[in-house]
Every structure is written in structure tokens, then in C-alpha cells.
Amino acid sequence: MNLKLDKIDRKILDILQSNAKITNAQLSKEIGLSPAPTLERVKKLENSGIIKSYHAKLDTDKIGMGVSTFVYVTLKGHNKQNIEIFLEAINKINEVIECHHVTGSGDFVLKIIAKDIASYQQLMLEKVSDISVVDNLQSMVILSTFKDSKVMPIPE
Amino acid sequence: MNLKLDKIDRKILDILQSNAKITNAQLSKEIGLSPAPTLERVKKLENSGIIKSYHAKLDTDKIGMGVSTFVYVTLKGHNKQNIEIFLEAINKINEVIECHHVTGSGDFVLKIIAKDIASYQQLMLEKVSDISVVDNLQSMVILSTFKDSKVMPIPE
DNA sequence: ATTAACTGCAAAATATAATTCGGCACAAAT
DNA sequence: ATTTGTGCCGAATTATATTTTGCAGTTAAT
């Protein structure tokens, strides 16, 4: 599978990142090709795994999930077994929508969403703090989000 | 506009969050309705703003953006004007894909992607550190991402 | 209770879009 | 020069979305 991306491919990726629901006909116009080769390129990008998936983005306030937070987690020991225990527990919690292993004094960064502060507190107390290998938690509540672009720049 | 979501709406949102490219026919099967009312519901969800947009998710490694980081930013003053100066500068940097105003001793959390560590360093030195109102920066490199679900739970 | 208005649904008809196919042009290799 | 491969286009075909019509259940007003 050839992964080299030309200018047109990058344009396609740009457009599909910001609007996945565009029709192939419209996409082909915007990149300056006819529908057939446009579709061919999109399929190639999908099959090669460059495009991993397509997702609907929801309004968190409107679905009643008004509270979003980042949580910095430190584990009791940084060994492999503890990490596995932690990840397994985290995977079961739907409100944890992101989990990243990071460098720095802490170990993990989580992104968590909740209905409100009360249910956030409950979630943290009952589910997250409760994970045996968790040593320390530091929460930051997101007051507002100014950028959440979903469009990554693509290097040449 | 009525924003009340019933069980079927929530199921639709669940499915579209994890797979936005499903056909209406298939979606209608999975929720147990015929295509017509299914489409009607999806359109309602779109028009009411509950579904904000649709996005392709790319493989960061395959597009050559292997480095992702969280950056914790403290401004020199927490006043409105400084925040505006900061946000304006941040908005121009494509590699900054997220920017959240958060509680805590610092002010903002950024998510930044870059080709590699070298270009990340260059980006930080030349563009981010350079913003006049930035006081302190603390970077955490993402070693690996275990969860990035794109599917938020929806309360009843 | 009876009617009217509304809502959500299904089935079929229609419109739109995706996909496939055949062939042409250019480029690289022999 | 000839072959081979790649990428493109236009047209035909197939699949899908969308609209329309009408029916049934629910609610509200008379």
C-alpha cells in the first residue's frame, strides 16, 4: 500500500476532517477532479488506514453533559502490572472519553465528561478514586473551550 | 425546537458518534424503525444542533504527525485583555488543535500535534513561547493513547 | 364522548448520489 | 518504438437518500 500523499490527497483529508458528510460530487468539485477518481482516492485513504473512521460531534451542553474535565493521574507504582490494572478499570468507565499515557510527574491524563458537578464528584469518588493503583488525582474543570478543531495539519 | 431525547434518539446518537458513515437504511434497521422516520429524527438532531458536525478521524502516525502533547499555559495576568491576546495568537497556529480555559493555578490547556520532537520544539520556541502574554509553559508528551472514544454517554 | 389537531410511523415513488466500467492520455521502462 | 502502469474522464448502472401520501394512536378542546 502506497502511503505517499500528494497535494490533492491532503486537500481531501483537510475537507473530510472538517466535513465528513460532503457528497463525493461536491468534494470532487472542490479538489478539481471528476467524481470517479475522487472516490478512488477517498477509498484508498480509507483502506490504507490514513482515514481511520468517521464520527458525529455532539453538543455536550445540549445532551446534558455540561461538565468536562482533565484529570492528571499518578499511580502508586509505575510498573507494567499497575498500568494494566488501571487501564482495565478506566476502559469500563464510559464517562472517561480519553486516556493518555504522558511524560511528566504524573502518569496519565484523562478527559472526563459528566452531567454536572455533583455527578462528576460522584463519578470520581465511586469509580476513579476507587481504582486500587491510583495514588493521586488532580482535576481541572474546563471552563470553556476556544478551539477543538478536529482538523490536523498534514505535513508535505 | 424540542430537545427531549427518547431512547431511540440516544441510540441514533450513539451509533452516529461511533460511525457517521452508516447508511440511513442500516441505521434504521439497528434502531428498529423504517428509513423515513429514521431520517426525520437524524435531521431533527442536526437542525437542533445536538449533532454539531461530522468529521473524519485520521491516523496521526500515518500522516506524519507522530508527536502529540498537552501544554499547560499560565498567562502573565489573568485579565480579559491578556486572554484575548492569547486566544488570537493561538487561533493562528494550526498545530494547536485544542485550547481549553481551565480551573486551577494555570489558565489554559492546549493539545498540540507536530511532526516530530524537533519540529515540536521549534513550534514551541518560535510560536507559542513567543506570545507576549505567556508566562509559563509546561509540556507533557503523549507516549500513547489508550482511549479516545469519540462516543459520549448520553444521560436520560 | 366526539371531533380536531398533532405526532410518529410505514410503504412506495422519486430524486440524488455513489459506484462501476470502458477507454484515453501521459509517463516510465524495456 | 513498444509495453506497462497510473490516473483521469464521461457515461451507464446501482444504491441510497428523500419526499410524499396516508394511516393509527394520542392529546386537547368542545
Side-chain angles (χ1 to χ4, degrees), chain B residues 31-97:
Chain B
I31 65 171
L33 288 182
S34 72
T38 301
L39 189 66
E40 214 174 90
R41 279 168 180 264
V42 172
K43 293 294 172 201
K44 239 180 226 171
L45 292 167
E46 289 171 356
N47 293 334
S48 66
I50 291 172
I51 296 176
K52 289 166 85 169
S53 45
Y54 296 92
H55 306 274
K57 179 179 171 185
L58 308 189
D59 185 311
T60 49
D61 288 336
K62 287 186 178 161
I63 62 170
M65 285 303 229
V67 174
S68 299
T69 67
F70 284 110
V71 179
Y72 194 36
V73 182
T74 311
L75 299 192
K76 280 173 182 163
H78 302 215
N79 57 77
K80 200 171 173 183
Q81 199 194 345
N82 277 5
I83 289 176
E84 271 168 24
I85 291 169
F86 175 70
L87 292 178
E88 201 183 338
I90 282 301
N91 257 317
K92 289 178 188 153
I93 308 174
N94 288 129
E95 289 89 347
V96 177
I97 58 172

Side-chain angles (χ1 to χ4, degrees), chain A residues 58-74:
Chain A
L58 308 189
D59 185 311
T60 49
D61 287 337
K62 287 185 178 163
I63 61 170
M65 285 302 227
V67 173
S68 301
T69 67
F70 284 110
V71 180
Y72 290 67
V73 181
T74 310

Side-chain angles (χ1 to χ4, degrees), chain A residues 40-113:
Chain A
E40 212 174 277
R41 279 168 179 266
V42 172
K43 292 295 170 200
K44 238 180 228 169
L45 292 167
E46 290 171 357
N47 293 335
S48 66
I50 291 172
I51 297 175
K52 287 165 86 170
S53 45
Y54 297 92
H55 305 274
K57 179 179 171 184
L58 308 189
D59 185 311
T60 49
D61 287 337
K62 287 185 178 163
I63 61 170
M65 285 302 227
V67 173
S68 301
T69 67
F70 284 110
V71 180
Y72 290 67
V73 181
T74 310
L75 299 192
K76 280 174 183 160
H78 302 215
N79 58 75
K80 201 172 174 184
Q81 199 195 344
N82 277 6
I83 289 176
E84 271 169 23
I85 291 170
F86 175 68
L87 292 178
E88 202 183 338
I90 282 300
N91 257 316
K92 289 177 189 154
I93 308 173
N94 289 129
E95 290 89 347
V96 176
I97 59 173
E98 294 182 29
C99 173
H100 311 274
H101 194 187
V102 297
T103 62
S105 60
D107 295 305
F108 290 91
V109 172
L110 310 180
K111 189 169 186 183
I112 297 184
I113 65 168

Side-chain angles (χ1 to χ4, degrees), chain B residues 114-129:
Chain B
K115 197 168 176 292
D116 48 39
I117 292 289
S119 59
Y120 176 69
Q121 184 183 18
Q122 193 186 354
L123 171 72
M124 292 300 281
L125 289 174
E126 292 182 6
K127 293 192 182 165
V128 184
S129 306

